[in-house]
PDB file of all heavy atoms in Angstrom:
ATOM      1  N   ALA A  46      71.208   7.129 -40.552  1.00 97.00           N
ATOM      2  CA  ALA A  46      71.354   8.270 -41.455  1.00 97.00           C
ATOM      3  C   ALA A  46      70.891   9.576 -40.812  1.00 97.00           C
ATOM      4  O   ALA A  46      71.090  10.652 -41.380  1.00 97.00           O
ATOM      5  CB  ALA A  46      70.558   8.028 -42.738  1.00 97.00           C
ATOM      6  N   ILE A  47      70.281   9.473 -39.627  1.00 98.00           N
ATOM      7  CA  ILE A  47      69.817  10.669 -38.920  1.00 98.00           C
ATOM      8  C   ILE A  47      70.810  11.014 -37.825  1.00 98.00           C
ATOM      9  O   ILE A  47      71.206  10.155 -37.025  1.00 98.00           O
ATOM     10  CB  ILE A  47      68.414  10.454 -38.321  1.00 98.00           C
ATOM     11  CG1 ILE A  47      67.391  10.241 -39.440  1.00 98.00           C
ATOM     12  CG2 ILE A  47      68.001  11.646 -37.448  1.00 98.00           C
ATOM     13  CD1 ILE A  47      65.991   9.908 -38.948  1.00 98.00           C
ATOM     14  N   GLY A  48      71.213  12.274 -37.795  1.00 98.00           N
ATOM     15  CA  GLY A  48      72.133  12.730 -36.760  1.00 98.00           C
ATOM     16  C   GLY A  48      71.376  13.129 -35.513  1.00 98.00           C
ATOM     17  O   GLY A  48      70.898  12.301 -34.760  1.00 98.00           O
ATOM     18  N   LYS A  49      71.226  14.414 -35.318  1.00 98.00           N
ATOM     19  CA  LYS A  49      70.530  14.920 -34.140  1.00 98.00           C
ATOM     20  C   LYS A  49      69.045  15.159 -34.427  1.00 98.00           C
ATOM     21  O   LYS A  49      68.656  15.425 -35.563  1.00 98.00           O
ATOM     22  CB  LYS A  49      71.161  16.232 -33.665  1.00 98.00           C
ATOM     23  CG  LYS A  49      72.589  16.074 -33.127  1.00 98.00           C
ATOM     24  CD  LYS A  49      73.116  17.408 -32.636  1.00 98.00           C
ATOM     25  CE  LYS A  49      74.524  17.252 -32.059  1.00 98.00           C
ATOM     26  NZ  LYS A  49      74.527  16.419 -30.834  1.00 98.00           N
ATOM     27  N   VAL A  50      68.243  15.071 -33.383  1.00 98.00           N
ATOM     28  CA  VAL A  50      66.838  15.463 -33.447  1.00 98.00           C
ATOM     29  C   VAL A  50      66.679  16.674 -32.537  1.00 98.00           C
ATOM     30  O   VAL A  50      66.818  16.579 -31.311  1.00 98.00           O
ATOM     31  CB  VAL A  50      65.888  14.335 -32.996  1.00 98.00           C
ATOM     32  CG1 VAL A  50      64.440  14.817 -33.048  1.00 98.00           C
ATOM     33  CG2 VAL A  50      66.072  13.105 -33.865  1.00 98.00           C
ATOM     34  N   PHE A  51      66.421  17.810 -33.139  1.00 98.00           N
ATOM     35  CA  PHE A  51      66.184  19.031 -32.379  1.00 98.00           C
ATOM     36  C   PHE A  51      64.683  19.220 -32.164  1.00 98.00           C
ATOM     37  O   PHE A  51      63.865  18.771 -32.970  1.00 98.00           O
ATOM     38  CB  PHE A  51      66.743  20.248 -33.117  1.00 98.00           C
ATOM     39  CG  PHE A  51      68.227  20.211 -33.341  1.00 98.00           C
ATOM     40  CD1 PHE A  51      68.754  20.054 -34.619  1.00 98.00           C
ATOM     41  CD2 PHE A  51      69.106  20.349 -32.274  1.00 98.00           C
ATOM     42  CE1 PHE A  51      70.117  20.022 -34.835  1.00 98.00           C
ATOM     43  CE2 PHE A  51      70.485  20.323 -32.477  1.00 98.00           C
ATOM     44  CZ  PHE A  51      70.994  20.150 -33.764  1.00 98.00           C
ATOM     45  N   ALA A  52      64.332  19.889 -31.091  1.00 98.00           N
ATOM     46  CA  ALA A  52      62.942  20.268 -30.836  1.00 98.00           C
ATOM     47  C   ALA A  52      62.903  21.774 -30.619  1.00 98.00           C
ATOM     48  O   ALA A  52      63.722  22.321 -29.875  1.00 98.00           O
ATOM     49  CB  ALA A  52      62.394  19.549 -29.611  1.00 98.00           C
ATOM     50  N   ALA A  53      61.973  22.426 -31.281  1.00 98.00           N
ATOM     51  CA  ALA A  53      61.840  23.874 -31.142  1.00 98.00           C
ATOM     52  C   ALA A  53      60.997  24.205 -29.911  1.00 98.00           C
ATOM     53  O   ALA A  53      59.985  23.553 -29.661  1.00 98.00           O
ATOM     54  CB  ALA A  53      61.199  24.467 -32.387  1.00 98.00           C
ATOM     55  N   ARG A  54      61.429  25.198 -29.155  1.00 97.00           N
ATOM     56  CA  ARG A  54      60.633  25.655 -28.017  1.00 97.00           C
ATOM     57  C   ARG A  54      59.522  26.564 -28.526  1.00 97.00           C
ATOM     58  O   ARG A  54      59.773  27.541 -29.220  1.00 97.00           O
ATOM     59  CB  ARG A  54      61.504  26.419 -27.013  1.00 97.00           C
ATOM     60  CG  ARG A  54      60.734  26.840 -25.760  1.00 97.00           C
ATOM     61  CD  ARG A  54      61.633  27.533 -24.770  1.00 97.00           C
ATOM     62  NE  ARG A  54      62.102  28.824 -25.271  1.00 97.00           N
ATOM     63  CZ  ARG A  54      62.904  29.631 -24.577  1.00 97.00           C
ATOM     64  NH1 ARG A  54      63.338  29.266 -23.386  1.00 97.00           N
ATOM     65  NH2 ARG A  54      63.294  30.782 -25.087  1.00 97.00           N
ATOM     66  N   HIS A  55      58.281  26.205 -28.224  1.00 97.00           N
ATOM     67  CA  HIS A  55      57.101  26.966 -28.657  1.00 97.00           C
ATOM     68  C   HIS A  55      56.943  26.975 -30.175  1.00 97.00           C
ATOM     69  O   HIS A  55      56.779  28.025 -30.805  1.00 97.00           O
ATOM     70  CB  HIS A  55      57.124  28.392 -28.100  1.00 97.00           C
ATOM     71  CG  HIS A  55      57.133  28.447 -26.608  1.00 97.00           C
ATOM     72  ND1 HIS A  55      56.200  27.810 -25.835  1.00 97.00           N
ATOM     73  CD2 HIS A  55      57.993  29.048 -25.747  1.00 97.00           C
ATOM     74  CE1 HIS A  55      56.476  28.019 -24.549  1.00 97.00           C
ATOM     75  NE2 HIS A  55      57.562  28.755 -24.475  1.00 97.00           N
TER      76      HIS A  55
END
Side-chain angles (χ1 to χ4, degrees):
I47 296 175
K49 293 182 178 294
V50 178
F51 299 111
R54 184 177 67 180
H55 300 306

